[in-house]
Amino acid sequence: MSNKIPFEKVKIDSFSLLIPLEDVTIINDYFNQKYIRVYDGLVESQISADEGTIQDKEFYNRQFHSTNNGIRASVKVISRLWNGENKNFIHIVITSKFLKEQYFEGINKANVGLVHKYIEDLKVIKVTKATLLTSFVTDIDFCIDLSQPKELYDKQNKYLKGLVLNSLKGYLKRFNNANIQLNERPKATPAKPFVKVYFKTDLLFQEAIENEDSFYASYLMKYAAEIKKGISRFEVTLKNYKHKEKLKLTHVKTLSDLLNLGQSELKEAHENIFKSYFEPKKMRINKSKLTPTDKMLVHTFNKLVELDNNFTETEILNLFIHEFEGAQKVRIKQKTSDLLEFISNKKQLEINETDFDKKQILANLKLLGIFE
């Protein structure tokens, strides 16, 4: 167990686990027992089915919820269509908070035993670790944590929001801070996934203020110095089988399959989901590689915009390529596009930012797959 937070690595943060009901033993007397609803005036209550005489409808209590030191756990019985017939499963939302002090490591093969122990300690069901590993996973959250101060995080997200494709800006949710959310978890699709960018430090400190038995106070104090420096989190969700098909991850069916993914596979999955909303950027040209002709064109493009602020990149592009034809037109169009992109990237990163900030932002966006 490391005392350092693993930054810049993709981690498994949470997932839904489906365990076939016949593979578990229910040890909570209340869970999954049959009850009936009874009424005393307008007050509804419930009693054991074999005790009641005033019956509305028999039902099973199929849910268990707990919150302990900031760790939320939910266990319930659900029915799913499986191989053409209805099948009952135990559904548990597994989060990296089950790992307690190892929270920042994410769920992996080395610490999955802690997940099993936390489930056992709930004393709702009894299940073997082997059964846990062969159970089915869905709704998987991957995340990357970066170490950065709040000021740089705010600048970075301002730039990141500007890279969201115009056609997808409607999925960008409004916040009173610099955080970013794209789409909503229930509405997510493979093409429009659920993506969140938030300042983890703020969230942990806010929870600590609201609750003295917070997760931070209970388990993360050894990381206090690193947390205070600033941690940003980039979280994405791999929703369901169709989403797995899109990312060529249909072989990830069980928890064991998920834990066997290597860092390169995790990074590719995170990157492909995260990039869904953003305009791809390629740093084809940097200032040191501009030819004299390139510099002249950049100066000309900037003057055009200064003379008429309504001049768009498309209009500039059309202005410079309409005289050409065939392969020559293709080459000129590519060169003009590259130079316009160079100008756009340069301007977006010039606003009130030091060279160090620019370097860090670009490095982070390359890590996330926004820049190639």
Side-chain angles (χ1 to χ4, degrees), residues 25 104 113 158 182 192 202 206 229 248 313 354 371:
T25 302
F104 281 113
K158 182 178 179 181
L182 290 152
K192 311 294 185 301
D202 282 352
Q206 185 60 40
K229 287 179 183 178
K248 297 181 173 57
E313 289 188 5
T354 65
F371 280 95

Side-chain angles (χ1 to χ4, degrees), residues 59 83 89 110 112 127 163 167 173 247 280 327-328:
F59 70 99
N83 295 327
F89 293 90
V112 70
V127 59
L163 295 179
S167 60
K173 303 303 173 185
L247 298 178
Q328 194 175 33

Side-chain angles (χ1 to χ4, degrees), residues 15 20 36 60 71 73 133 146 150 165-167 175-176 204 219 222-223 227 258 269 306 309 332 335 340 367 371:
F15 49 86
I36 62 170
Y60 288 90
I71 306 174
L133 290 170
L146 299 183
K150 185 67 160 62
L165 290 161
N166 287 330
S167 60
F175 283 95
N176 295 325
L204 290 172
Y219 304 112
K222 68 176 182 178
Y223 301 113
I227 292 171
L258 177 62
E306 286 176 15
N309 285 326
I332 297 297
K335 169 62 76 174
L340 287 170
L367 178 71
F371 280 95

Side-chain angles (χ1 to χ4, degrees), residues 16-54:
S16 290
L17 192 68
L18 298 176
I19 313 170
L21 187 58
E22 66 266 22
D23 292 339
V24 306
T25 302
I26 295 171
I27 57 176
N28 183 301
D29 291 337
Y30 181 65
F31 185 76
N32 203 38
Q33 298 301 305
K34 188 182 288 187
Y35 289 83
I36 62 170
R37 292 187 178 89
V38 297
Y39 297 89
D40 179 12
L42 296 177
V43 179
E44 178 183 318
S45 59
Q46 64 190 47
I47 61 175
S48 176
D50 58 5
E51 296 175 3
T53 56
I54 306 173

Side-chain angles (χ1 to χ4, degrees), residues 160 163 274-275 278-281 365 368-372:
L160 198 54
L163 295 179
F274 192 81
K275 288 196 303 185
F278 297 97
E279 181 180 356
K281 293 284 184 180
L365 295 182
L368 295 165
I370 302 302
F371 280 95
E372 299 177 6

Side-chain angles (χ1 to χ4, degrees), residues 225-287:
E226 288 183 278
I227 292 171
K228 286 176 183 177
K229 287 179 183 178
I231 299 174
S232 57
R233 173 161 287 194
F234 300 78
E235 194 172 295
V236 302
T237 299
L238 175 59
K239 186 173 183 179
N240 52 26
Y241 186 80
K242 286 186 177 179
H243 204 176
K244 290 177 184 177
E245 279 186 319
K246 179 179 172 67
L247 298 178
K248 297 181 173 57
L249 289 172
T250 51
H251 60 287
V252 180
K253 297 182 175 70
T254 67
L255 176 54
S256 180
D257 297 332
L258 177 62
L259 298 180
N260 280 326
L261 291 177
Q263 183 58 210
S264 61
E265 293 170 294
L266 292 172
K267 188 176 187 305
E268 184 178 4
H270 185 284
E271 183 177 306
N272 286 334
I273 297 171
F274 192 81
K275 288 196 303 185
S276 300
Y277 290 98
F278 297 97
E279 181 180 356
K281 293 284 184 180
K282 290 190 177 181
M283 300 299 287
R284 300 187 186 95
I285 298 177
N286 59 50
K287 191 173 182 180

